[in-house]
Amino acid sequence: MAKAQYWLQNHLSETIEQKALADHLNVSQRTLIRRFKQELDTTPLAYLQAVRIEAAKRLLENTGDPLAEIIERVGYLDASSFSRLFRKMTGVTPHAYRQRFNRLRIEE
């Protein structure tokens, strides 16, 4: 799973399909899902979403990059889907998160 985690973390901005990840790791999709659940207590998709949200949080904290650019850099194409997931996982909107935690204190 470490190899899968490393690969996912280094390919955030790409469209990642579970089958492609399984093929890259030379396992079946079922094996990939089973191993993720056994070792990380999550699915590959949920893990990827969490990694992407963490990356977005770091960018919101440390840069003044526009939100649209951050969303694209962490692999999302739809801003509304990203914002809903971000709020679900953090409890605040991306804008509110930036206002609270940005070290540069940049206004959007």
Side-chain angles (χ1 to χ4, degrees):
M1 286 298 78
K3 186 176 178 182
Q5 291 173 282
Y6 179 80
W7 192 86
L8 287 170
Q9 291 169 358
N10 288 296
H11 293 88
L12 287 181
S13 64
E14 299 173 20
T15 300
I16 299 171
E17 295 187 18
Q18 198 165 271
K19 181 176 179 358
L21 177 58
D23 290 347
H24 176 75
L25 298 169
N26 296 317
V27 297
S28 70
Q29 288 185 61
R30 286 180 63 160
T31 298
L32 177 68
I33 293 167
R34 187 177 64 251
R35 286 187 183 166
F36 258 85
K37 286 188 177 187
Q38 284 174 340
E39 296 183 30
L40 303 174
D41 196 31
T42 191
T43 65
L45 176 60
Y47 177 81
L48 177 60
Q49 288 175 333
V51 169
R52 284 178 167 169
I53 294 300
E54 285 302 314
K57 286 168 55 178
R58 284 192 307 276
L59 291 168
L60 289 167
E61 291 167 8
N62 297 306
T63 74
D65 296 347
L67 183 57
E69 184 178 312
I70 290 172
I71 291 169
E72 188 176 309
R73 284 174 58 187
V74 298
Y76 284 92
L77 303 175
D78 180 25
S80 63
S81 294
F82 169 82
S83 294
R84 274 192 307 276
L85 181 62
F86 190 94
R87 185 177 182 120
K88 180 180 176 183
M89 295 181 84
T90 65
V92 296
T93 65
H95 180 73
Y97 187 89
R98 174 173 268 171
Q99 284 185 317
R100 179 182 275 165
F101 296 108
N102 188 275
R103 291 180 175 92
L104 304 174
R105 301 288 182 232
I106 294 175
E107 295 290 323
E108 282 189 0

